[in-house]
Amino acid sequence: MGSLKLEPARSRPDLLAVPVAKALAVWPGDAPIDADQVLVAPIDANLADTAAFCEAYDVGLDVSANCVIVAGKRGEIVRYAACIILATTRADVNGVVRKRLDVRKCSFAPMDDAVRLTGMEYGGITPIGLPADWPILVDARVAAAPHVIIGSGVRHSKIVIAGPALGALPGAEVIEDLARPV
């Protein structure tokens, strides 16, 4: 995992957004990994964006996963979801995601909405600790990865977690071809 200094995330709540720390505190006993196997590392908050992070910490884009919040609308109803994709791919928002959410229009959620609704910092949003009624759509490539690096809910750290654990999060659904290579 590059030059990251990893430690169990539950032992470092100062490196986690509040919703993430709360989710780790009630980590399911039947999850594919124990909560102590969810690791966190401090980083420079100015290097939180994927490309800068990967370069600065010697991490490959192929093990870096992004959590993209999307909003879909059908009539007056807005549906939110999180898409977990590798940094080497781009979510198929107007195809796969739109159909999965059963909405007419689907796009990236506005930054202010994503931050307010998740309780996390923009650029650090993670699938761990999202609102319980949101679907978490996990690209099959992420779920198949031995380990991926994702946000921690804040910009000053990153989480390392087994890909299968992301596919087993409450509300998660592993989807083939959720994303396409860029």
Side-chain angles (χ1 to χ4, degrees):
M1 292 288 121
S3 62
L4 296 174
K5 292 181 172 72
L6 298 166
E7 52 194 306
R10 288 197 308 184
S11 71
R12 293 296 308 268
D14 59 308
L15 295 177
L16 306 170
V18 171
V20 178
K22 286 181 179 178
L24 286 174
V26 295
W27 193 255
D30 61 348
I33 62 170
D34 185 67
D36 289 333
Q37 293 174 295
V38 178
L39 305 175
V40 68
I43 65 164
D44 180 334
N46 295 317
L47 299 172
D49 294 332
T50 304
F53 163 77
C54 287
E55 184 176 332
Y57 293 93
D58 196 29
V59 171
L61 288 170
D62 60 329
V63 295
S64 185
N66 292 322
C67 180
V68 180
I69 304 300
V70 296
K73 197 169 186 182
R74 179 176 283 281
E76 296 302 313
I77 298 171
V78 178
R79 296 182 182 137
Y80 292 93
C83 299
I84 316 307
I85 59 172
L86 292 176
T88 56
T89 64
R90 179 169 294 156
D92 184 3
V93 174
N94 288 310
V96 175
V97 177
R98 182 183 58 77
K99 288 176 188 167
R100 168 57 185 77
L101 292 180
D102 189 29
V103 293
R104 291 188 186 273
K105 292 176 147 185
C106 192
S107 61
F108 298 110
M111 178 180 62
D112 291 344
D113 291 350
V115 168
R116 177 177 49 79
L117 294 169
T118 64
M120 300 180 201
E121 294 178 4
Y122 190 75
I125 294 174
T126 187
I128 300 169
L130 288 176
D133 59 340
W134 286 16
I136 299 172
L137 310 179
V138 182
D139 186 73
R141 287 169 277 233
V142 172
H147 291 91
V148 292
I149 297 172
I150 59 173
S152 62
V154 294
R155 292 182 60 87
H156 62 274
S157 65
K158 293 285 186 180
I159 285 177
V160 175
I161 188 170
L166 291 175
L169 287 172
E173 177 182 348
V174 177
I175 299 176
E176 290 291 330
D177 299 321
L178 173 65
R180 299 183 181 154
V182 285

